[in-house]
Amino acid sequence: MILQQFYLSCLAHASYIIGDEETGTAAVVDPQRDTDQYIAFAAEHALEIKHVFLTHLHADFVAGHLELRDRVGAKIYLGAAAKAGYAFTPLHDGDTIELGRVRLKALETPGHTPESISIVVYDLNASDTQPHAVLTGDTLFIGDVGRPDLRAALGWSANDLGGMLFDSVHTKLLGLPDESLVYPAHGAGSLCGKAISKETVSTLGEQRRSNYALQPMSKEAFISVVTADQPEAPAYFVYDAVLNSQERPTLDQTLERVNPMTLDELLALQEIGAQILDTRDPGEFAAAHLVGSINIGLAGQYATWAGTVLDRNHPIVIIAAPGRENESALRLGRIGFDHVAGYLKDGLRSLDSRPELIAVTERVSAPFAAELLSSSQPPLAVDVRAPGERDRKHIAGSLSFPLNHLTENLEKLPKDRPLLVYCAGGYRSSIAASLLQHSGFDSVSEIAGGLAGWESAKLPVQAAPVLS
């Protein structure tokens, strides 16, 4: 048996290929939309991908099931409770798929979503009764369980799904042997849970001992603990969950439309509302960028923030570092943002003869920021981190405007006073500063290095009180 995990750090997403060497048959579970790596791996190991499983209709990314269907003829499998606009094989409790000496058995494990399944993996050369592993999707994570509140917009209450999740975990997954390996669909950083470990594999026995949500408790207590303090989900989550249930163009088809354009063509689109997305690193963006462009750097949680601050109703034109244009569009495609109209040919060099179109964002050192804030006419310090981060510590006198709600609160910020933006390290503050400049705020600067730079300079922070 071959069982290979593929981990995509920027989306904290784990996908899998399971193969039988004897028959050369393979299945892919929860694939990302760009599927080259699975096809290359299968070719290297003399495997043919005949099956593709979605453990559920994912909300945080667009899965590659249709891509694998169209590229290699893979048959699609979903949980029996799923509804989709393409042909699929529904899986009920106990349904099995045989890959030679490998058996895949479905468990219906609703809770994160109503159609969620887990896949129990048997290596028949070792045992036909003791499972080797279970692929738990977003039902069970390492250190956490899937949040049950992401289907509210589709008519499912968190309490109802939380009750299903309790039953799925306690009556089905915990009924498997402690030695079973646990392979989830996400790791630390995913917004599909609140306390997911950085580890990407564990055992059921270890999770039984250490996972807070698997400790003995009533169903009511379980619902209460797993619904509390969940991070806010981006608006694109519902869009992606629906998209994963629909027939749609493949990633290759959408990327075919992404072509170079001239500066004049870009400016014409910008004039009618196109979003100009600069994907370079924040430092490069601060030094020089097109007036009105928005910075979301490829080095951070690029797709998540793009899905949060950009909209789906206006085309996107990309400005990227040379050679990274296609990557910028592909990573948007992973979350279903297929409305990329093109990219600026030659990048920022296209502006060499148009200096009037170039803007800068001042990034000031932490000591100088402290001087500015203690001056007689200080700028307004704007903290764009999440509320939980701010509660732990922040710069005294700063105001909280979390990045995911910044654009809807712009009227609360003064346009006649300089703004000094900061986050944890400088990535989100660059996004925020670009959004503010795009919205007509003329005097916007950032604290270089964010709060980390501030503390490195031994400057004081206002910390949360210590509870005795």
Side-chain angles (χ1 to χ4, degrees):
M1 182 180 76
I2 296 171
L3 198 167
Q4 178 69 31
Q5 182 185 73
F6 299 83
Y7 196 75
L8 182 64
S9 296
C10 60
L11 289 175
H13 165 219
S15 53
Y16 302 88
I17 188 165
I18 306 164
D20 174 59
E21 289 182 292
E22 229 174 78
T23 60
T25 307
V28 179
V29 180
D30 292 331
Q32 61 194 63
R33 198 176 175 197
D34 43 317
T35 56
D36 285 351
Q37 61 184 334
Y38 312 113
I39 293 170
F41 182 91
E44 288 168 11
H45 293 81
L47 298 172
E48 183 182 358
I49 298 171
K50 293 186 176 181
H51 314 276
V52 57
F53 297 81
L54 295 192
T55 56
H56 61 289
L57 299 171
H58 295 271
D60 58 320
F61 69 96
V62 175
H65 50 301
L66 300 186
E67 281 75 8
L68 286 173
R69 178 199 66 184
D70 289 358
R71 291 187 68 179
V72 299
K75 186 176 182 180
I76 298 172
Y77 300 81
L78 303 175
K83 294 179 174 62
Y86 45 82
F88 70 92
T89 298
L91 293 174
H92 298 83
D93 260 334
D95 286 349
T96 60
I97 292 90
E98 306 282 339
L99 313 178
R101 299 297 295 163
V102 177
R103 177 178 297 148
L104 307 179
K105 180 175 133 181
L107 286 181
E108 291 185 89
T109 50
H112 177 65
T113 70
E115 79 287 344
S116 288
I117 58 171
S118 297
I119 300 169
V120 186
V121 181
Y122 293 84
D123 180 353
L124 300 181
N125 287 329
S127 173
D128 61 359
T129 58
Q130 296 294 305
H132 171 75
V134 56
L135 277 59
T136 54
D138 286 14
T139 299
L140 174 63
F141 296 125
I142 310 306
D144 203 354
V145 290
R147 58 191 295 180
D149 63 330
L150 292 182
R151 290 295 186 270
L154 301 177
W156 291 88
S157 78
N159 281 352
D160 287 345
L161 286 175
M164 293 181 192
L165 186 61
F166 177 87
D167 293 336
S168 294
V169 170
H170 286 270
T171 67
K172 292 188 178 178
L173 291 178
L174 287 182
L176 297 173
D178 279 356
E179 298 76 22
S180 306
L181 295 173
V182 175
Y183 286 105
H186 287 296
S190 168
L191 294 174
C192 293
K194 61 182 176 181
I196 307 175
S197 169
K198 68 180 187 301
E199 304 299 327
T200 60
V201 63
S202 183
T203 65
L204 201 57
E206 176 57 31
Q207 290 311 294
R208 194 192 304 274
R209 289 187 292 274
S210 63
N211 190 319
Y212 77 94
L214 304 192
Q215 303 313 302
M217 66 183 83
S218 68
K219 182 181 288 190
E220 291 72 23
F222 177 90
I223 294 170
S224 177
V225 74
V226 301
T227 55
D229 303 319
Q230 289 288 358
E232 188 171 355
Y236 78 88
F237 271 29
V238 173
Y239 170 72
D240 278 12
V242 172
L243 196 59
N244 275 319
S245 72
Q246 297 175 339
E247 188 69 47
R248 52 158 177 77
T250 64
L251 182 62
D252 286 344
Q253 290 169 331
T254 63
L255 293 180
E256 284 174 359
R257 305 195 298 261
V258 180
N259 293 303
M261 61 176 57
T262 66
L263 177 60
D264 286 341
E265 289 171 328
L266 179 151
L267 294 174
L269 283 174
Q270 186 181 34
E271 186 67 27
I272 59 174
Q275 304 166 100
I276 311 304
L277 173 62
D278 191 320
T279 68
R280 296 174 301 144
D281 288 342
E284 294 176 283
F285 179 86
H289 56 267
L290 176 68
V291 171
S293 58
I294 297 166
N295 178 230
I296 308 175
L298 288 171
Q301 289 185 304
Y302 167 72
T304 299
W305 282 115
T308 300
V309 305
L310 302 179
D311 70 53
R312 300 186 303 274
N313 301 314
H314 295 86
I316 296 169
V317 181
I318 289 167
I319 298 176
R324 305 197 74 178
E325 300 88 355
N326 287 333
E327 178 190 354
S328 300
L330 182 151
R331 289 174 61 181
L332 291 178
R334 287 176 178 161
I335 61 164
F337 273 49
D338 293 344
H339 50 297
V340 178
Y343 60 87
L344 180 60
K345 184 181 179 183
D346 298 324
L348 210 67
R349 288 174 296 179
S350 297
L351 276 67
D352 286 349
S353 62
R354 301 288 301 275
E356 75 278 8
L357 298 177
I358 296 176
V360 300
T361 306
E362 188 177 11
R363 307 191 100 193
V364 301
S365 69
F368 186 54
E371 288 181 29
L372 292 173
L373 292 171
S374 62
S375 67
S376 59
Q377 293 184 307
L380 176 63
V382 179
D383 183 348
V384 298
R385 298 171 302 148
E389 294 174 275
R390 180 176 173 82
D391 289 343
R392 289 189 288 275
K393 55 188 173 184
H394 59 271
I395 297 173
S398 62
L399 296 183
S400 176
F401 287 87
L403 177 55
N404 58 329
H405 291 295
L406 180 62
T407 54
E408 65 203 59
N409 287 296
L410 293 176
E411 73 284 351
K412 298 177 183 177
L413 287 168
K415 285 194 171 181
D416 58 353
R417 181 179 175 184
L419 302 179
L420 180 60
V421 184
Y422 74 93
C423 63
Y427 181 81
R428 286 173 289 175
S429 66
S430 184
I431 301 173
S434 68
L435 288 170
L436 290 166
Q437 290 175 324
H438 173 80
S439 300
F441 289 82
D442 295 326
S443 183
V444 181
S445 57
E446 302 174 61
I447 299 178
L451 195 64
W454 181 273
E455 291 189 290
S456 294
K458 310 298 185 189
L459 293 165
V461 294
Q462 190 163 321
V466 178
L467 300 177
S468 57

